[in-house]
Amino acid sequence: MKFGIFIAPFHRVGENPTLCFERDMQLIEWLDALGYEEAFIGEHHSSGWEIIPSPEIFMAVAATRTRRIMLGSGVVSIPYHHPFNVTTSPCSII
């Protein structure tokens, strides 16, 4: 059996965003160590509640801290991006 996760990064409003990112990153590291196959990171623009507006950057950092886990973007919120950037994004090709 293979395991994976979709992370919708929910955080309490007013929490330190740096600490929230670090906790999410540590979760990915733990999942990698536990043998999870994949992790999908959601893109969210929710005024401090869900604070990952660019999963590509988050995944790039996670890739430097993990060994095996496959990383992917859950969604791309089209209204927040120029169409050219969406069609040429490495995540849209995968």
Side-chain angles (χ1 to χ4, degrees), residues 43 52-61 73 75-76 81 89-91:
E43 175 180 326
I52 296 185
S54 179
E56 299 87 356
I57 293 173
F58 186 86
M59 291 184 300
V61 175
S73 175
V75 298
V76 175
H81 301 283
S89 168
C91 293

Side-chain angles (χ1 to χ4, degrees), residues 21-51:
F21 283 131
E22 185 57 33
R23 263 198 325 266
D24 291 341
M25 198 62 65
Q26 288 174 356
L27 174 61
I28 299 289
E29 291 177 68
W30 272 106
L31 294 172
D32 183 51
L34 291 171
Y36 274 61
E37 295 287 324
E38 56 195 16
F40 289 89
I41 314 302
E43 175 180 326
H44 298 281
H45 306 266
S46 303
S47 304
W49 182 256
E50 299 172 299
I51 58 168

